[in-house]
């Protein structure tokens, strides 16, 4: 069984999609043992509580620096015997404490075809630029913002009639399928090692 922690700052629809995939047995040998959030008021936190998933939430402003709060996060991850970290809308760069402890074991989902439109509001950036194709990327995490080796990508055509709302729905639909698929393939590799 691969024990994962999901990190989320906001709505947590990807977090929910992971839980649902486990419930429906679309992904096997994976257990979500912790939700980590840098926003105690995030909807993701409520969703975790409703699903009886342990939560660690914190506010960066309560700590002197990233090193200090990441040490506390690492302690929680160790307590819950977390093997793998999934960033699902976690809007903060990871520092050396977590990157070192979970080297090669952290993935992120991003709503664009990286390396295009890194950072916040990738969907808005794509619309503003006027691209005809955008998409979703799942990648390993390094110290950069939305950088690191790409694991999976899927494209979405941007049609004339698309609004921010309809494009967001289309992209999230793909995220909610692609991220669990990648988690499953990584879990398969873990269990065959
Ligand atoms: C998702 O679209 C995810 O790709 C994006 O935040 C959203 C979170 O939604 N992540 C990034 O932009 C990372 N740079 P959710 O909270 O409903 O899962």
């Amino acid at each position: 069984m691969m024990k994962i922690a999901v990190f989320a700052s906001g709505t947590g629809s990807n977090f929910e999609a992971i839980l649902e995939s486990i419930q429906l047995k679309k992904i096997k040998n994976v257990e979500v043992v912790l939700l980590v959030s840098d926003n105690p008021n995030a909807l993701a936190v409520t969703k975790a509580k409703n699903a009886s998933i342990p939560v660690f939430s914190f506010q960066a402003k309560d700590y002197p620096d990233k090193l200090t709060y990441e040490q506390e996060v690492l302690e929680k991850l160790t307590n819950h015997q977390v093997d793998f970290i999934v960033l699902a809308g976690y809007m903060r760069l990871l520092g050396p404490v977590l990157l070192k402890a979970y080297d090669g074991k952290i993935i992120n989902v991003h709503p664009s075809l990286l390396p295009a439109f890194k950072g916040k509001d990738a969907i808005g950036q794509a619309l503003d630029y006027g691209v005809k194709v955008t998409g979703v990327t799942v990648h390993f995490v390094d110290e950069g913002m939305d950088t690191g080796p790409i694991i999976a990508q899927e494209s979405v055509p941007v049609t004339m009639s698309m609004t921010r709302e309809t494009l967001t729905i289309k992209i999230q639909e793909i995220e909610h399928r692609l991220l669990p698929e990648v988690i499953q393939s990584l879990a398969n590799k873990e269990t065959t090692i």
Side-chain angles (χ1 to χ4, degrees):
M1 192 65 92
M2 183 169 85
K3 293 185 176 181
I4 65 171
V6 178
F7 285 37
S9 304
T11 315
S13 71
N14 279 285
F15 167 60
E16 245 181 335
I18 296 166
L19 293 184
E20 198 179 288
S21 301
I22 293 172
Q23 215 168 20
L24 297 175
K25 302 200 184 332
K26 285 186 189 165
I27 52 183
K28 299 188 184 99
N29 300 320
V30 175
E31 190 187 351
V32 180
V33 294
L34 186 66
L35 177 89
V36 175
S37 183
D38 59 337
N39 174 10
N41 299 317
L43 208 54
V45 169
T46 311
K47 287 176 178 170
K49 287 183 178 160
N50 289 342
S52 304
I53 306 280
V55 173
F56 175 63
S57 65
F58 66 95
Q59 281 185 298
K61 68 175 173 56
D62 296 337
Y63 296 81
D65 50 29
K66 191 186 288 260
L67 196 91
T68 320
Y69 71 70
E70 283 204 345
Q71 264 158 355
E72 199 168 328
V73 172
L74 181 58
E75 203 180 295
K76 306 290 173 192
L77 296 172
T78 310
N79 289 347
H80 287 275
Q81 298 176 320
V82 169
D83 303 306
F84 216 94
I85 297 174
V86 177
L87 307 186
Y90 183 69
M91 302 314 248
R92 219 166 253 287
L93 281 181
L94 295 191
V97 172
L98 293 179
L99 289 171
K100 233 186 245 161
Y102 284 89
D103 185 24
K105 290 176 183 285
I106 311 174
I107 60 170
N108 178 45
V109 61
H110 184 74
S112 76
L113 290 177
L114 289 171
F117 311 126
K118 295 178 180 131
K120 286 190 182 147
D121 193 24
I123 296 173
Q125 291 184 55
L127 285 172
D128 288 348
Y129 203 91
V131 291
K132 302 293 179 204
V133 180
T134 185
V136 173
T137 303
V138 182
H139 63 97
F140 285 109
V141 171
D142 62 14
E143 65 285 351
M145 184 172 38
D146 299 317
T147 56
I150 289 172
I151 305 167
Q153 281 187 314
E154 219 168 288
S155 60
V156 177
V158 185
T159 58
M160 290 293 280
S161 62
M162 261 177 175
T163 61
R164 171 187 270 271
E165 285 69 36
T166 55
L167 180 57
T168 302
I169 290 169
K170 190 77 209 142
I171 285 200
Q172 292 209 329
E173 225 173 74
I174 293 175
E175 288 188 337
H176 297 166
R177 179 177 42 76
L178 195 63
L179 183 59
E181 275 174 17
V182 168
I183 293 171
Q184 181 63 79
S185 75
L186 292 167
N188 291 347
K189 279 187 196 130
E190 289 264 310
T191 49
T192 54
I193 287 169

